[in-house]
Amino acid sequence: MEAQIYEREKTALMFIDPYNDFLSEGGKVWPRVKDVAESNNLLNNLRTIVKAIRQAGIQVFIVPHKRWEPTDYQYWKYPNPTQVGIMERHSFAKDTWGGEWHPDFAPQEGDIIAKEHWAQSGFANTDLDMLLKQRGITHVIAIGLLANTCVESTCRFAMELGYHVTLVKDATAAFTPEMMHAAHVLNGPTFAHAILTTEELLAALPAQ
Amino acid sequence: MEAQIYEREKTALMFIDPYNDFLSEGGKVWPRVKDVAESNNLLNNLRTIVKAIRQAGIQVFIVPHKRWEPTDYQYWKYPNPTQVGIMERHSFAKDTWGGEWHPDFAPQEGDIIAKEHWAQSGFANTDLDMLLKQRGITHVIAIGLLANTCVESTCRFAMELGYHVTLVKDATAAFTPEMMHAAHVLNGPTFAHAILTTEELLAALPAQ
Amino acid sequence: MEAQIYEREKTALMFIDPYNDFLSEGGKVWPRVKDVAESNNLLNNLRTIVKAIRQAGIQVFIVPHKRWEPTDYQYWKYPNPTQVGIMERHSFAKDTWGGEWHPDFAPQEGDIIAKEHWAQSGFANTDLDMLLKQRGITHVIAIGLLANTCVESTCRFAMELGYHVTLVKDATAAFTPEMMHAAHVLNGPTFAHAILTTEELLAALPAQ
Amino acid sequence: MEAQIYEREKTALMFIDPYNDFLSEGGKVWPRVKDVAESNNLLNNLRTIVKAIRQAGIQVFIVPHKRWEPTDYQYWKYPNPTQVGIMERHSFAKDTWGGEWHPDFAPQEGDIIAKEHWAQSGFANTDLDMLLKQRGITHVIAIGLLANTCVESTCRFAMELGYHVTLVKDATAAFTPEMMHAAHVLNGPTFAHAILTTEELLAALPAQ
């Protein structure tokens, strides 16, 4: 582990999809991630990171998935398989509890909420890259869900765009342990600049 | 398997990184992909697909990785781990045999060569999306290497951009079988519209 | 004037910024565009085009500017001069009449509303390109305001992205006649594929 | 004129299209820009700026137009009017004198050459944004040709991407004085953060 690399003024936390449907008991997708999340101590790690990031004065970006509305995707020529599933499941439905922020992770004053992404990458078809530039951000730290879909695509895009990219392997979850393994052991090392535990991340943040 | 979906005028083959260093005996990366490639019958499948695509009158796009030059990456702030490795290994070095097209897959008259990509996605920092639009392409079929890096990132981007995306699971390779499994069983089904074998692809192409 | 080029299934109308602040008596920006708009018969032409487009079965896209909110731009490093002005004028303010659709141009069922753009181009930092692809659109027709800023940037981007681009010179306005001249005589001919009058556009639409 | 804003480590000069065809006696496009260029003292100003930028230790980016090759554009569905013209005129033809760098402005060791752009914007379908990020650049200064096409589109894109953008009004040219007026008086003030003369730019550069 190198010396601290996360300068306060140039680093942002990207919290991907902090919705009840993903993170709360009763959420539509929670049953599919629960086992991995619990084995990972996910909720506690997310709380710990968000608190430490705020204390360090680092900018929080919320990177939210499109909240489902009835007309979403329905006349699209090529919705992807996940989007076809959302049309049936209504994940993150707008104006429902499932599409609200998990209460521990609701945006606070000064946080920046990027435009909702339609598929996997928080950069695709949104203003995330421009908003990061307008804050002078060069280093992004990704937490949230899912490790091998939205988090991975957001980070693959971040790397292509020229950012320094950090994954936090116990601040995310997926449907199966092997998907976590794919994200952090097979694929992550090809594109991410750092793959840390929550504890390692905390040690690398600037003093408060 | 549904009825044919690949209209001649709207489909393109994207052949990713058909370099000697990847595909030929003596290539710098070949030893790392050889086992998977041979178990997959990769070279024969690539030959079969390219021949069938040309006979069907479908447009071929070559999607090439940046050929390494001595100054590449060296003053970059955040080269990714793969790029750091390329600085040492000189994969696909410009004006060397390793950076030449595999002789069976060199572009032919009428093929389109997109700009070289710096990292994983053939769309990032290149003209691939625009050139596909200028040909009226809506469906892309990806073959080449590596399954979980350049092919996967190119296809994740293609999906975000609004294309119909097809993976061909025995027309690619990776360093290990579990990376192939990650690409085609764990991740591919979340973003790709079709994941076919070479045989299934051939059956779905328009009659010649 | 060539024979009809606008196929129903491949053409979209992009109506840029149809807000009260731009187009209605009492709107914040209306006094600055009124003279050009009236000399151009703008409102009538917009009504005529929208009606004809709907009758022809062509897809309508609304391409809206960011509705101003109090925190917009305020911690940005480099807001542009127009954005600095918006911070003072509060143009298109959210939840105000000025930021509502002009009543004649409110979206109807089946219209697609792209994400709001922060600056000039309806493609920058939005989902417009992807949503056009998901409908199979290759030809875009731009109407709305301002001719030399949002309309021009949206169309410069559309051209770079590979679309066929049509300007309608009497279905837009600007602050001065010389800005209209710049948009349609000096600059438009370098990037737009067609620059038509409303009458010429109507003649080129498919029969109903 | 404010105090100096161009930090050495965060600023880049973007020299757009420094080809013989644009800037040299005998160049294909030179006759169309000669009058404006001479009234502007263009060549001397370009030389002065490039020298001062190098002495200040500021990074030079070359932002080159696509050098014409025989197959360029020919099977495109929607080449723009300028591209149709290039197919006839063969401007900046590859492997010809016209497509070589003007001898006073050839890249030097350490300069970065972005990928060639196909139309007007040096950012569209190229690696310019990523390469700027990899150097930590936040401020771009645009010089070269043409004021209302490539320079303007490159700078409209730069602004949308989140950069601080500077035009230099006597370090560019166009086909007519009214095109210069459109670029610097009508349009530039809507998107550029600074519009300077060469003299003003020199005064704002960091001490050597």
Side-chain angles (χ1 to χ4, degrees), chain B residues 78 115-116 118 127 134, chain D residues 78 115-116 118 127 134:
Chain B
Y78 320 112
K115 285 179 182 156
E116 297 179 356
W118 281 100
D127 50 4
Q134 288 286 3
Chain D
Y78 320 113
K115 285 179 182 156
E116 298 179 356
W118 281 99
D127 51 5
Q134 288 285 4

Side-chain angles (χ1 to χ4, degrees), chain B residues 75-79 83 115-118 125-127 130-131 133-136, chain D residues 75-79 83 115-118 125-127 130-131 133-136:
Chain B
Y75 298 111
W76 286 25
K77 287 183 179 288
Y78 320 112
Q83 291 166 334
K115 285 179 182 156
E116 297 179 356
H117 51 273
W118 281 100
N125 310 304
T126 77
D127 50 4
M130 183 274 290
L131 292 173
K133 283 213 205 74
Q134 288 286 3
R135 290 299 181 111
Chain D
Y75 297 111
W76 286 25
K77 287 183 178 288
Y78 320 113
Q83 292 166 332
K115 285 179 182 156
E116 298 179 356
H117 51 272
W118 281 99
N125 309 305
T126 78
D127 51 5
M130 184 272 290
L131 292 174
K133 282 214 206 74
Q134 288 285 4
R135 291 298 181 113

Side-chain angles (χ1 to χ4, degrees), chain A residues 9 66 75-80 83 110 115-118 124-131 133-137, chain C residues 9 66 75-80 83 110 115-118 124-131 133-137:
Chain A
E9 299 297 327
K66 180 73 172 67
Y75 298 111
W76 286 25
K77 287 183 179 287
Y78 319 112
N80 72 35
Q83 292 167 332
K115 285 180 181 155
E116 298 179 354
H117 51 272
W118 281 99
N125 310 305
T126 77
D127 49 4
L128 180 54
D129 174 55
M130 183 273 290
L131 292 174
K133 282 215 207 76
Q134 287 286 2
R135 291 298 182 111
I137 303 301
Chain C
E9 299 298 325
K66 179 74 171 67
Y75 298 112
W76 286 25
K77 287 183 179 290
Y78 320 111
N80 72 34
Q83 291 167 333
K115 284 180 182 154
E116 297 179 356
H117 51 273
W118 282 100
N125 310 304
T126 77
D127 51 4
L128 181 54
D129 175 55
M130 184 273 290
L131 291 173
K133 283 213 205 75
Q134 287 286 4
R135 292 299 182 110
I137 303 301

Side-chain angles (χ1 to χ4, degrees), chain C residues 114-199:
Chain C
K115 284 180 182 154
E116 297 179 356
H117 51 273
W118 282 100
Q120 296 189 349
S121 169
F123 288 95
N125 310 304
T126 77
D127 51 4
L128 181 54
D129 175 55
M130 184 273 290
L131 291 173
L132 289 167
K133 283 213 205 75
Q134 287 286 4
R135 292 299 182 110
I137 303 301
T138 56
H139 288 61
V140 291
I141 301 165
I143 63 172
L145 272 58
L146 294 172
N148 62 315
T149 60
C150 289
V151 174
E152 183 164 333
S153 276
T154 300
C155 289
R156 285 183 185 237
F157 275 64
M159 176 277 289
E160 299 282 3
L161 286 163
Y163 293 95
H164 180 283
V165 177
T166 298
L167 303 177
V168 189
K169 57 191 170 188
D170 54 0
T172 185
F175 292 167
T176 66
E178 72 173 348
M179 288 173 174
M180 296 291 278
H181 179 75
H184 302 132
V185 178
L186 304 180
N187 289 342
T190 69
F191 62 83
H193 302 79
I195 305 178
L196 307 179
T197 62
T198 296
E199 189 177 5

Side-chain angles (χ1 to χ4, degrees), chain D residues 92-164:
Chain D
F92 326 122
K94 195 174 175 178
D95 300 324
T96 72
W97 172 85
E100 290 175 7
W101 312 117
H102 182 289
D104 294 350
F105 307 119
Q108 299 190 5
E109 188 180 333
D111 291 355
I112 298 174
I113 305 175
K115 285 179 182 156
E116 298 179 356
H117 51 272
W118 281 99
Q120 295 189 349
S121 170
F123 288 95
N125 309 305
T126 78
D127 51 5
L128 180 55
D129 175 55
M130 184 272 290
L131 292 174
L132 289 168
K133 282 214 206 74
Q134 288 285 4
R135 291 298 181 113
I137 303 301
T138 56
H139 288 62
V140 290
I141 301 166
I143 63 172
L145 272 57
L146 295 174
N148 61 315
T149 60
C150 287
V151 174
E152 183 164 335
S153 276
T154 300
C155 289
R156 286 183 185 237
F157 275 64
M159 176 276 292
E160 299 282 2
L161 286 163
Y163 293 95
H164 180 284

Side-chain angles (χ1 to χ4, degrees), chain D residues 62-95:
Chain D
I62 309 291
V63 179
H65 197 278
K66 179 76 173 65
R67 289 174 169 92
W68 178 81
E69 296 177 87
T71 57
D72 282 357
Y73 313 110
Q74 73 183 7
Y75 297 111
W76 286 25
K77 287 183 178 288
Y78 320 113
N80 72 35
T82 305
Q83 292 166 332
V84 172
I86 289 174
M87 292 175 72
E88 294 160 5
R89 290 187 302 267
H90 307 175
S91 318
F92 326 122
K94 195 174 175 178
D95 300 324

